[in-house]
Amino acid sequence: MWSHAESIVTTATPAQIWALFSDVPGWKNWNAGIAHIEIHGPFVAGTTFTMQPPGEDAFTSTLLTVAPNEGFTDETVIDDTRVVVNHQIKLLGEGKTQVTYSTEITGPNAAEFGPMVTGDFPQVLAALKRLAELRS
């Protein structure tokens, strides 16, 4: 198993972060690792979405859990490798919110997929923070 977590603290509220999380087509506005994305239904557990990184093949992910203003978890299975990413929103108090991406990867290609999946998390979280704070 391969795991990794990355966090950022923002002055945006959980609701402001959630508004960006739940707008799947808008993910391209703060995630440069997305060339194309399409959700196949409402933003609820069980719904799938297809995402294509720049210059790469598209893949389909499934929303496992969705909790408004708290976060969501998605799962991507490629061959025998399973990638689960939890996107958590936590109110810290004093006008601060923490956003954490935690990833667990299992399967034969876990060590190879890990850095590819999580390598841009600092930049993605920083861009999410900037956009959320602009909207506050």
Side-chain angles (χ1 to χ4, degrees):
M1 181 176 81
W2 194 94
S3 62
H4 178 79
E6 195 82 38
S7 297
I8 199 162
V9 175
T10 178
T11 57
T13 66
Q16 289 165 324
I17 298 295
W18 184 253
L20 295 172
F21 275 175
S22 60
D23 175 21
V24 176
W27 290 2
K28 293 187 306 182
N29 296 327
W30 47 271
N31 188 335
I34 299 174
H36 178 76
I37 192 161
E38 181 180 357
I39 190 162
H40 309 289
F43 195 72
V44 298
T47 297
T48 61
F49 61 92
T50 303
M51 187 167 81
Q52 182 179 7
E56 296 183 31
D57 292 335
F59 57 86
T60 300
S61 301
T62 303
L63 295 169
L64 298 179
T65 64
V66 176
N69 300 323
E70 295 176 17
F72 70 97
T73 303
D74 63 62
E75 171 192 59
T76 306
V77 179
I78 299 174
D79 298 323
D80 292 328
T81 301
R82 179 177 185 243
V83 179
V84 176
V85 182
N86 182 30
H87 310 75
Q88 182 183 24
I89 304 166
K90 181 180 179 184
L91 182 62
L92 299 177
E94 298 181 15
K96 305 276 187 198
T97 301
Q98 179 176 302
V99 181
T100 301
Y101 282 18
S102 56
T103 306
E104 288 190 2
I105 304 174
T106 56
N109 296 314
E112 177 186 337
F113 278 37
M116 290 189 310
V117 171
T118 64
D120 68 347
F121 281 7
Q123 294 84 4
V124 170
L125 286 167
L128 173 70
K129 174 183 174 172
R130 277 192 302 276
L131 186 57
E133 289 177 355
L134 280 174
R135 294 184 176 188
S136 61

